[in-house]
Amino acid sequence: AFVVFNLLGGESLAQTLFIPKEIDEPRVGGSPETVKKLTALGFAVVVEAGAGVASRIPDSEFVAAGAAIGRAGDIARADVVLKVRRPSSAELKAYRKGAVVIAMLDPYGNDAAVKALADAGVTAFTMEFMPRITRAQVMDVLSSQANLAGYQAVIDAASEYDRALPMMMTAAGTVPAAKVFIMGVGVAGLQAIATARRLGAVVTATDVRPAVKEQVASLGAKFLAVEDEEFKAAETAGGYAKEMSKEYQAKQAALVADHIAKQDIVITTALIPGRPAPRLVTRQMVARMRPGSVLIDLAVERGGNVEGAVAGKITEVDGVKIVGHLNVAGRIAATASQLYAKNLLAFVETLVDKESKTVKIDFDDELVKATVLTHGGKVVHPNFASAATAAPAPAASVAKPAAVKKAAPAKPAATKPAPAAKAATAKAAPGKAAAPKAKTAAKTAAAQPAAAPSPKTAPKTTEGEA
């Protein structure tokens, strides 16, 4: 054991990094590859027994990488905790005061849970708020997870669709290619396009941002939108979508309704930071689809883009299946954990002093400013600091939106992350403006702004683009 100084001052034993087993979540915050590198950074890595089993990582692989296998109670001595989901109030009771907790904390609309983090005395970082800058690309959890969600959405659609996707010319006749429509061209949408094309489907896609038209074409799909003057000005300088007028929305809805009626598979990916998911597909649209058609709603956890979608269930309306799987990236947990663990490792590396091999947080660093949620017993993120003072006891999450009045943080200056522009009613979470080449579709732009939405945005968000 070596001696380090913890974040709140004072001497402590060997700096311990703990990777717990998630509750109701198949992903894990570490991999054998990242454990090896975390050990090299100076951490004594402890992985809870069975933490990686659902991600196809047995304890023996963590041990071979240099980790120790521990129990849930070992978290009490951890200096750093790497998680996938926000710890519950019950879990936080075991955390050491002053510990660094890094996870996808999903703070919007969960004021009491945020206050619980502050009351526990932990320094909590929420990975969804990572700013969209070059040095942070490798830390972009929204991009890595939404990319996989887009892929899995097509696989799920193919599984539910009881016909072949590619065109087949056989002696017995020709099988026509399935028609797939992707609504929202962020990271998930682009990967869905690429995957559906690889499976031989005829693919179309829509989005309100003009810049993505080229991206869609580069992947071999056709772009669908009302391309009037308003559409041409529908994107901010930062690559985000502007909210469209009701007149434009009506025209776009009419175009989409006619198009959906001819599709075999529709995949919706629209999640707007700080808002419930926009309704893109109505019951009337579903009623016009052919029996056997499939709709995949990647936004079902926030209300859904498809009317009639039920979170966690597959429903059928007049022969049309509406798929509402939860945690779609977690459905391929082995791959999702691999990428997520690398996102966490990259961020942890920025917090470690290379000479002393200890955690030394620079609260003036733009990554820290954007992502730090609580520190020193207080909620320090400006989007949540004022709400925390009025939050009730942290026994349960609060459905009521967080107050959005900007307040100065009580400890380190956690400045406001890059703001997200308002998104249109019928769009996916924004992606980068740069047009990716078809062969690199899997490395497309971020699914939604990694930084937190501005305080002007009605709070209620989720982890990925979809």
Side-chain angles (χ1 to χ4, degrees), residues 10-256:
E11 197 172 275
S12 65
L13 294 177
Q15 199 170 41
T16 301
L17 185 145
F18 190 78
I19 300 173
K21 182 178 181 179
E22 301 288 328
I23 299 174
D24 298 325
E25 166 62 63
R27 292 172 291 179
V28 64
S31 68
E33 179 185 353
T34 62
V35 163
K36 187 176 295 185
K37 293 180 179 179
L38 289 166
T39 301
L41 286 175
F43 291 106
V45 179
V46 179
V47 179
E48 183 178 346
V53 171
S55 292
R56 304 294 184 262
I57 308 173
D59 291 347
S60 58
E61 290 190 17
F62 282 123
V63 172
I69 301 302
R71 300 171 299 177
D74 292 331
I75 204 166
R77 60 186 176 87
D79 298 281
V80 178
V81 178
L82 300 185
K83 281 185 66 26
V84 179
R85 299 286 189 178
R86 179 183 63 240
S88 66
S89 297
E91 290 177 277
L92 284 171
K93 292 178 181 179
Y95 283 43
R96 183 181 67 78
K97 186 175 182 180
V100 173
V101 180
I102 306 174
M104 292 184 286
L105 299 176
D106 188 22
Y108 281 108
N110 292 303
D111 302 339
V114 173
K115 186 177 184 299
L117 289 165
D119 291 344
V122 300
T123 297
F125 292 93
T126 185
M127 291 295 289
E128 308 100 305
F129 288 4
M130 196 62 66
R132 299 180 73 195
I133 57 178
T134 301
R135 66 183 283 237
Q137 285 182 342
V138 69
M139 309 169 203
D140 187 355
V141 298
L142 296 181
S143 180
S144 72
Q145 302 303 292
N147 188 47
L148 294 175
Y151 162 82
Q152 185 62 33
V154 177
I155 301 303
D156 287 337
S159 177
E160 297 298 333
Y161 184 61
D162 59 358
R163 297 178 178 86
L165 263 65
M167 182 183 76
M168 297 181 183
M169 300 182 69
T170 74
T174 299
V175 177
K179 296 178 182 178
V180 178
F181 183 40
I182 312 298
M183 302 186 73
V185 189
V187 166
L190 284 167
Q191 185 55 251
I193 292 170
T195 303
R197 288 284 297 137
R198 292 187 191 107
L199 292 177
V202 174
V203 184
T204 52
T206 189
D207 197 290
V208 299
R209 292 165 298 135
V212 304
K213 181 178 181 179
E214 184 180 347
Q215 299 175 20
V216 170
S218 74
L219 295 174
K222 183 179 179 180
F223 188 71
L224 180 76
V226 176
E227 300 185 46
D228 58 12
E229 292 303 314
E230 183 177 359
F231 172 80
K232 294 176 182 178
E235 188 170 2
T236 68
Y240 299 104
K242 294 179 180 178
E243 187 168 9
M244 309 299 280
S245 68
K246 291 184 178 180
E247 290 75 16
Y248 181 89
Q249 292 177 27
K251 289 187 290 184
Q252 177 75 358
L255 176 66
V256 166

Side-chain angles (χ1 to χ4, degrees), residues 254-417:
L255 176 66
V256 166
D258 290 338
H259 188 67
I260 284 178
K262 306 169 187 175
Q263 301 306 299
D264 300 303
I265 295 171
V266 177
I267 298 174
T268 65
T269 73
L271 281 180
I272 300 175
R275 297 185 182 185
R279 182 56 47 82
L280 304 183
V281 181
T282 64
R283 286 191 181 275
Q284 290 77 13
M285 294 179 185
V286 174
R288 294 180 61 184
M289 297 182 74
R290 293 189 291 267
S293 300
V294 177
L295 292 116
I296 306 288
D297 191 339
L298 289 182
V300 72
E301 294 183 46
R302 291 302 188 191
N305 299 140
V306 180
E307 188 174 2
V310 179
K313 294 185 178 180
I314 299 176
T315 58
E316 190 167 322
V317 178
D318 297 328
V320 177
K321 290 184 180 180
I322 303 176
V323 181
H325 291 313
L326 297 171
N327 190 12
V328 177
R331 289 172 62 78
I332 42 174
T335 304
S337 293
Q338 176 187 348
L339 299 184
Y340 180 69
K342 288 183 178 179
N343 295 145
L344 293 182
L345 169 67
F347 183 52
V348 170
E349 286 178 327
T350 69
L351 305 178
V352 175
D353 181 83
K354 301 305 182 291
E355 293 183 4
S356 64
K357 290 193 173 183
T358 62
V359 173
K360 186 178 180 181
I361 299 176
D362 178 6
F363 287 98
D364 290 324
D365 185 285
E366 57 190 328
L367 303 185
V368 173
K369 286 180 179 180
T371 58
V372 65
L373 189 62
T374 65
H375 176 67
K378 297 182 182 296
V379 178
V380 296
H381 197 285
N383 287 13
F384 305 95
S386 59
T389 60
S397 297
V398 180
K400 186 178 179 180
V404 295
K405 184 177 180 181
K406 186 176 178 181
K411 271 269 182 183
T415 57
K416 184 175 77 174

